[in-house]
Amino acid sequence: MRDTVIGPYARLPLAIGAGALFALGQAPFDLWPVALCGLVAGVWLLDRHMPAHSGAGIGWGFGLGYFALALSWIYEPFQIDAAATGWMAPFAVVGLAGGLALFWALAFWATARTGRLWALIPFFAGAELMRTYVLTGFPWALLPYVWAPTNAIQWVSVVGPHGLSLLTAGVAVLVVQALRRRNLGFGAGAAALVAGLIGGGALIKPAPQDLADRPVVRLIQPNAPQQEKWRRDMIPVFFNRQVDLTAAGPPADLVVWSETALPMLLANAGEALAVIRDAAGPVPVVVGVQREEAGNYYNSLVAVQPGTEVYQYYDKHHLVPFGEYMPMASVFARFNIFGLATRAEGGYAAGPGPALLDLGPLGRALPLICYEAVFPQDVGTAPERPDMLLQITNDAWFGTWSGPYQHLVQARIRAIEQGLPMLRSANTGVSAVIDGGGRVLASLPLGVAGKLDHPLPPPLPPTIYARTGDLPAFALIAMLAAAAVITRRRRPPNTD
C-alpha cells in the first residue's frame, strides 16, 4: 500500500472533480494552467492507489468529470425541439460522458496493472488514439487541446495530436513523480518539457504571410437560429439575407455560404442557384445544400461556377451518429427515437470520401462539412494536397456558449497540422479566415449576421505531420505500451 490510501467513497468524487478542473482548459474557459493542475491531480490519484487497486474507477471518474463539462454543449441540440427530444438531453450528456470515460478507465487500469506510473504516458495517448478511430470516432476535446491557447499547440504540425498527447501525459507524470519522491530532478524535467513545448512552439510557428495581391474570399454568415431556420415564414428572410450579403460591396474572388444554406433539395434549387449566380457575378460560390439520389439523402455542398449551370458537388462522408444517422434505426424507431438532423428513416447516407473542389485560379479546396473538421485523419487523407481547407458548418445546433468556440479551436488545429489556410463559413458563427499557422486573421462574432471579406492566405509547405500522419505516433505508443507490459511489476495483495 502506498502511504495513505484515500477511501473508496472519496476517490470517485475527487477523480470527477479533477476531471472537471482539467476541462477548464477547453474553450471558452482556456484556463490551461488550471487545467494542467487538474490533469496532475488525476494522475496523482492514480499514483496513490497503484498497484493495490485497479485504477479503472479513478480513470472513469476522471473522464466523467472531464467530458461532462467539456461536452456539456451536447445538451443544446436536444432543446431545438424540446417537446420531442428535450427528455433525451440528460441521458445524452451523461451517456456520452460516461461512454467516452471508458477509454480513460482502460488507460488507468492498464497503468495500474503494470505498477509503473510512467506507463500512463503511452496508455493515455493510446486511449485518445482509440477514441479518434474506434467505431466512427469522436476526437472532440482531445488531451493535447489543453495547449490550444498557447504556442505549444504548434507541435501538432510535427508530431500530430497523438504525439502531443504523449508529451502532455509526460508532463503530468513528471510532476507527480516530483511530488511523490520530492525529487527536484523530476520537477526540473517537467518544467523543461513545458518550456520546450511553449518556447519551441513559438520557434516553429510560421511567420505571418504577406497577403498583398492575394484573392479575396467572402464568407456569408446569415445567423439563422435553428428554431427558425426551416420555418416557412423565415426561409425567404434568411435566403434573401444571404443573397444581399453576396452582392454587397466590391466583388470578391470566392463566396462561401454555410452548411444547408439552401432551403430546398438540390434537384429543386435551379431557380435559387440562378439568383445566387446573379448576385455573385463572375466568381464561384460554394453553397451548402441537401440532395437526394436513388432514395438516399446527402448533406452536401455545391460549387456554382459563374455563367454556367455546371457545378461540382461533395457529399459529407463522416456523419454524426444519432444526429445525422441512427445506428439500428429500425430498433430505435419502435420507441419513436430518431436522429436530430435527419430527413428519412435512418438519416443521411454517407458520401464516398474526401474529394477536392477545383476553384480555378484560387486553387483546390478540401471541403469539410461541420463535424468532419474534428477528425485529423479525414483532413490527412485527401486524394492530393489541397491549397486550402474549406469548412461549412451550422453551429446553431451547438448553442451559444462552448460548442461553437470549441469547434473553431479544432478548425485552427487542423490548419496548423497541415500548414493550410482554413476558410470557415458558419451559419450563426464563428465564421473565420485562418492561416496555416492557426492564426485567426479575421472573424465574424457568434450570433450576428454579416459577410467577411479577407485575402486568402497561401498554403505553407507540407508539415511533417502532413507527410507522416498518425503512423509514427501510433508506432511509438505501441512500443512504449509493450515495454510497460514487459517490465510490469507484480501486483501485491489488496490491503485496503
Side-chain angles (χ1 to χ4, degrees):
M1 186 169 68
R2 316 228 2 182
D3 293 346
T4 302
V5 175
I6 299 171
Y9 295 106
R11 281 198 296 269
L12 184 60
L14 286 173
I16 292 172
L21 201 64
F22 185 36
L24 294 179
Q26 300 297 315
F29 307 107
D30 293 330
L31 301 175
W32 65 272
V34 176
L36 289 178
C37 292
L39 177 60
V40 168
V43 177
W44 177 83
L45 277 172
L46 173 65
D47 184 59
R48 299 287 287 191
H49 301 88
M50 185 179 69
H53 301 277
S54 71
I58 294 172
W60 185 80
F62 186 54
L64 180 66
Y66 176 78
F67 291 115
L69 180 56
L71 304 180
S72 58
W73 56 265
I74 290 292
Y75 185 88
E76 299 288 348
F78 296 91
Q79 304 309 308
I80 301 299
D81 185 5
T85 60
W87 64 272
M88 303 180 193
F91 298 98
V93 174
V94 175
L96 181 62
L100 293 176
L102 292 174
F103 288 97
W104 291 15
L106 178 62
F108 279 54
W109 172 83
T111 302
R113 293 290 295 177
T114 68
R116 297 184 180 278
L117 186 62
W118 70 262
L120 184 63
I121 298 172
F123 289 139
F124 210 164
E128 292 294 81
L129 184 65
M130 291 173 61
R131 184 158 72 89
T132 302
Y133 284 94
V134 169
L135 300 177
T136 66
F138 190 69
W140 196 288
L142 285 174
L143 174 65
Y145 294 174
V146 66
W147 302 109
T150 76
N151 284 321
I153 198 63
Q154 295 292 327
W155 284 102
V156 297
S157 68
V158 179
V159 298
H162 305 297
L164 190 52
S165 285
L166 282 167
L167 296 171
T168 305
V171 169
V173 168
L174 284 171
V175 171
V176 171
Q177 293 280 35
L179 295 173
R180 177 70 171 152
R181 301 185 180 186
R182 297 179 176 84
N183 188 317
L184 292 179
F186 285 108
L193 182 52
V194 172
L197 287 172
I198 297 176
L203 293 175
I204 64 176
K205 186 175 184 177
Q209 297 163 291
D210 181 7
L211 301 182
D213 301 322
R214 291 290 298 169
V216 174
V217 297
R218 175 170 297 172
L219 308 180
I220 305 299
Q221 183 169 300
N223 192 36
Q226 196 61 37
Q227 296 91 333
E228 301 177 5
K229 183 177 172 65
W230 302 110
R231 273 175 38 185
R232 289 185 178 273
D233 61 325
M234 295 303 295
I235 283 175
V237 173
F238 297 131
F239 179 75
N240 292 333
R241 180 182 295 171
Q242 293 173 102
V243 171
D244 292 342
L245 291 169
T246 298
D253 298 290
L254 171 69
V255 178
V256 184
W257 288 26
S258 60
E259 181 185 12
T260 60
L262 287 187
M264 71 288 289
L265 292 172
L266 180 59
N268 304 321
E271 183 178 346
L273 293 176
V275 172
I276 294 170
R277 280 194 297 270
D278 290 342
V283 301
V285 183
V286 173
V287 183
V289 65
Q290 299 171 93
R291 73 179 198 93
E292 182 269 337
E293 181 180 328
N296 293 317
Y297 291 90
Y298 297 90
N299 186 357
S300 308
L301 62 76
V302 295
V304 182
Q305 303 296 334
T308 176
E309 294 185 5
V310 177
Y311 54 80
Q312 306 168 74
Y313 68 84
Y314 162 76
D315 299 323
K316 184 178 183 181
H317 72 278
H318 207 144
L319 303 175
V320 182
F322 301 100
E324 293 176 310
Y325 77 97
M326 288 294 294
M328 301 181 294
S330 59
V331 175
F332 282 101
R334 295 178 184 177
F335 301 96
N336 201 33
I337 299 176
F338 302 94
L340 294 173
T342 58
R343 291 192 62 95
E345 182 178 353
Y348 289 116
L356 298 182
L357 295 179
D358 184 356
L359 298 177
L362 280 79
R364 295 177 299 176
L366 177 67
L368 303 165
I369 299 180
C370 189
Y371 179 70
E372 290 179 321
V374 173
F375 293 87
Q377 67 269 32
D378 284 359
V379 178
T381 54
E384 298 178 50
R385 179 170 169 82
D387 299 294
M388 71 194 84
L389 307 175
L390 194 157
Q391 183 193 19
I392 64 170
T393 184
N394 177 20
D395 287 2
W397 286 102
F398 299 162
T400 59
W401 182 48
S402 61
Y405 296 110
Q406 291 177 11
H407 206 192
L408 174 65
V409 166
Q410 291 171 96
R412 284 186 54 233
I413 294 172
R414 299 293 86 79
I416 296 169
E417 288 167 350
Q418 300 296 323
L420 292 172
M422 168 76 78
L423 306 180
R424 187 174 197 271
S425 180
N427 169 24
T428 53
V430 177
S431 298
V433 176
I434 305 168
D435 73 4
R439 298 178 187 85
V440 178
L441 302 179
S443 64
L444 286 171
L446 188 66
V448 302
K451 66 180 179 68
L452 176 63
D453 290 357
H454 197 275
L456 170 66
L460 297 170
T463 64
I464 294 176
Y465 178 70
R467 293 189 177 100
T468 64
D470 291 327
L471 184 59
F474 173 79
L476 183 56
I477 290 169
M479 288 189 293
L480 290 174
V485 171
I486 292 170
T487 61
R488 69 186 182 276
R489 296 173 180 171
R490 286 191 174 185
R491 182 177 177 181
N494 192 331
T495 55
D496 184 27

